Structure formats: structure tokens, C-alpha cells
Amino acid sequence: SASVTNPKTGWRTTHFWGPVANWGLVVAAVSDGMSQGPEVISVPMTSSLCVYSMLFMRFAWLVQPRNYLLFACHFFNECAQLTQLYRGLKYESEMKALEDAKKPPTDADVPGTAAKVGFLSAIGHTLQAQAMKLPLPEAARGFLAHPAGPFTIHFWAPTWKWMLSISNLMDYDRPVEKVSTMQQTALCATGFIWSRYSMVIVPVNYNLFAVNISLAVTGTYHLARKIKSEFEKKKE
């Protein structure tokens, strides 16, 4: 179709390959859901991915050029990650019950967190107008008025994406057999490709650039651990 071959947003650009890389997260979630047990699910990471996709659906709608492929990707990813989150929380609850634990899992209030952040970004223009009336230093006014500033989804979507890197760091010593190869591959691809995509969209998003570099590094770390483990198993 014309949208695929468009020289500005088609298959030769990161406007196309950025969302395609994110589809890897959907494929990974569906594949793990069908072929892996719930013990491989990282609840902190999956919780972060749920909120991440909620925010990036709005991001995809507001970014220029508007990205329908990215919107569709995050819609399906939301469904897949919520399913995985349910499986992971159920598994953790069952394991804690066996250990006579009194407290249920409290990793994330996914709907509540997303609703609060989404609401703040939705009324951002009103809040921004009020903030700009305050007697602030010029540097602060420039930050608040920026098209990717704290009153826009262009700020909050990449800011939440930092949780994916933080979740990877929290799992730094996660047993290798519980690391999802497909998920980490998708996160790596997303990190590398989106570091370029963040510089060709409007507004240019340095926060998005930085978080994707971080995500590429943390994802590469886990992939390296997984590859090393598989290599050592073959040598035995």
C-alpha cells in the first residue's frame, strides 16, 4: 500500500521499523504464554510493560507523523501483557500460599497507575498554561513549555519506559532459565531501533533516546547471560 512505500514514513524509515520492533514484545508474550510456564514471567517487567503500552497508545496518536502501526502494536501488547501478568500474579500467589505467606503480591497497581498518569497527560495543556503564569526562571519556563515537557505524553511515555530498564536491572541475578529469550531480544531490538526513531519524530525526544539506549544495554546483558548459559550447557 501507499503507506508502506511512503518515502517519509514507509518501510525504509524508522517510523516503520520502530513499531515493527515493538511487535516483537507481542510475539514474545504470546509465545511465552503458549509454550512457557508462569514461572518464567517477571512480574515487575510485565507490570511495567502493561503501563508502558497504555501510555504509548496515546503517544502513537499524538506524535507526528501519527503512527497507526505503533498504536495497533501497543493495543495488542496491552492485551498480551495483561494476560501474562494475570498468569504471573496467580503463580506467585499460589507459591506464597504454599509457603503460608500472609501478604499477596503488590508489585504494581497497573490500572491505577496508568489511569493517574494518563489523566495528568490528558489535562497537561491546562496545567501547563497555569504553570506558565508563575514567576519562574527562564530555564524552568523553557523546560515546562517544551513540546516534550512534563505536561505532555511525550514526556510521560518515555519516562515510564525507564521502568523497563529498571525492571531489567532488578532482575540482574534472575535465574537464567527464567529469562525469556524472546522478550529480551524484543527489548534489545526496540532499544536500538527506537534510539534512532526518537530523533526523527516531532517533537525530537531526548528522554526517549536515552531510555532506549539504556534498554538496549540492559537487554543485551540478559541476552548475553542466556547465550553464555546455553553455550556452557552444550559444552557439558
Side-chain angles (χ1 to χ4, degrees), residues 145-224:
H146 194 276
F151 295 107
T152 71
I153 193 65
H154 304 292
F155 175 84
W156 288 107
T159 296
W160 184 266
K161 195 170 186 178
W162 279 103
M163 289 302 298
L164 304 186
S165 288
I166 292 171
S167 296
N168 259 353
L169 290 173
M170 289 171 60
D171 287 341
Y172 77 97
D173 60 348
R174 183 177 178 82
V176 177
E177 63 273 11
K178 292 186 177 182
V179 173
S180 170
T181 303
M182 291 194 67
Q183 183 185 71
Q184 292 300 329
T185 300
L187 289 172
C188 277
T190 294
F192 285 117
I193 295 175
W194 273 65
S195 60
R196 167 62 180 164
Y197 178 61
S198 61
M199 305 306 287
V200 298
I201 55 177
V202 178
V204 171
N205 200 314
Y206 296 102
N207 188 16
L208 187 59
F209 172 82
V211 69
N212 279 291
I213 292 295
S214 175
L215 189 59
V217 171
T218 57
T220 298
Y221 165 74
H222 282 291
L223 270 184

Side-chain angles (χ1 to χ4, degrees), residues 13-93:
T13 72
T14 48
H15 298 287
F16 176 83
W17 290 108
V20 167
N22 273 12
W23 277 98
L25 296 173
V26 183
V27 173
V30 172
S31 176
D32 287 346
M34 296 177 66
S35 62
Q36 302 289 334
E39 68 277 0
V40 305
I41 298 171
S42 169
V43 172
M45 173 61 79
T46 306
S47 300
S48 298
L49 283 167
C50 287
V51 181
Y52 159 73
S53 279
M54 288 184 186
L55 294 174
F56 268 90
M57 278 190 277
R58 180 165 173 79
F59 177 92
W61 193 258
L62 294 179
V63 74
Q64 295 297 320
R66 181 170 289 172
N67 201 313
Y68 297 102
L69 182 59
L70 182 61
F71 181 89
C73 165
H74 282 293
F75 175 82
F76 283 103
N77 191 52
E78 187 64 39
C79 297
Q81 299 299 337
L82 284 173
T83 301
Q84 286 293 84
L85 181 61
Y86 170 76
R87 293 179 68 220
L89 289 174
K90 182 180 178 183
Y91 173 77
E92 285 196 356
S93 179

